Amino acid sequence: MNIRIRPAGAGDISALARLIEEIERYYGASEIQPLEERRSQIKQALFGSPPLASALLVEDGRGDIVGMAAYSFLWPAAGSSHSLFLKELYVRDSLRRQGVGQALMRKLRGIAEERPGCSRLEWMTDRGNAGARSFYRELGFAEFDGKIVYRLETGTGVVREPAHSVSV
């Protein structure tokens, strides 16, 4: 298998937009964001001032983008250090179980270890995602059961009120 892992560049926006559509379909999305809107959001997130995130891309031997790892640095972590937070790890179905995900995780670990003040690499997966949970266990990572994730959907500028809100 001939792959290359590299940071995303501004010339990758269209390929990333197509890959993100593939990711959305993989997770079962029935409504897909318009392509131009996706491109604009990718440009802003990865190449805006300041960028909101970073991404590593997996390029196959033909130069096609076949996987990605999107991450951000979060502060604070332990004490006043920061962490590398992996938001999305995705490898195209045809390349799974061939070491591509492992290579992405090694690269991310290297980025975290080389960055001064970065104390950890963290990520989440859905409890029901048996494939991802098995993948991480096979890499020797233990599940951390100490956090509960909360989410407030805000989509297109409309904030949905939580079931129980408190007036101030």
Side-chain angles (χ1 to χ4, degrees):
M1 171 182 43
N2 183 21
I3 64 156
R4 181 171 82 122
I5 297 175
R6 61 173 178 80
D12 297 313
I13 292 172
S14 291
L16 262 169
R18 289 188 300 273
L19 188 67
I20 288 172
E21 178 177 342
E22 183 178 322
I23 293 168
E24 290 294 308
R25 291 187 190 286
Y26 174 80
Y27 285 117
S30 56
E31 291 186 36
I32 302 298
Q33 179 184 40
L35 180 63
E36 201 48 49
E37 190 177 316
R38 241 178 299 132
R39 284 183 187 141
S40 176
Q41 287 181 344
I42 291 166
K43 181 178 180 181
Q44 179 184 1
L46 296 181
F47 309 107
S49 181
L52 302 174
S54 298
L56 293 175
L57 302 181
V58 179
E59 199 176 85
D60 68 10
R62 296 180 313 215
D64 293 332
I65 304 302
V66 296
M68 68 172 266
Y71 63 95
S72 299
F73 287 97
L74 302 177
W75 177 84
S80 62
S81 69
H82 58 277
S83 66
L84 186 156
F85 184 80
L86 170 61
K87 175 57 179 93
E88 185 68 51
L89 180 78
Y90 181 80
V91 175
R92 188 164 283 157
D93 220 7
S94 61
L95 292 174
R96 290 194 190 129
R97 308 217 54 85
Q98 296 183 39
V100 178
Q102 282 182 320
L104 277 167
M105 291 301 291
R106 276 192 308 274
K107 185 77 170 167
L108 288 165
R109 183 179 185 162
I111 291 169
E113 288 175 342
E114 291 171 9
R115 184 171 171 119
C118 186
S119 62
R120 39 175 97 142
L121 168 58
E122 299 177 296
W123 63 95
M124 296 184 290
T125 192
D126 293 326
R127 289 189 194 281
N129 190 339
R133 292 175 77 183
S134 175
F135 167 72
Y136 294 125
R137 272 193 308 274
E138 288 171 12
L139 291 178
F141 300 116
E143 291 183 358
F144 178 77
D145 198 29
K147 301 280 182 190
I148 297 172
V149 176
Y150 294 88
R151 177 179 294 152
L152 174 65
E153 301 286 341
T154 61
T156 60
V158 178
V159 177
R160 293 172 188 89
E161 291 296 321
H164 303 298
S165 60
V166 177
S167 297
V168 182

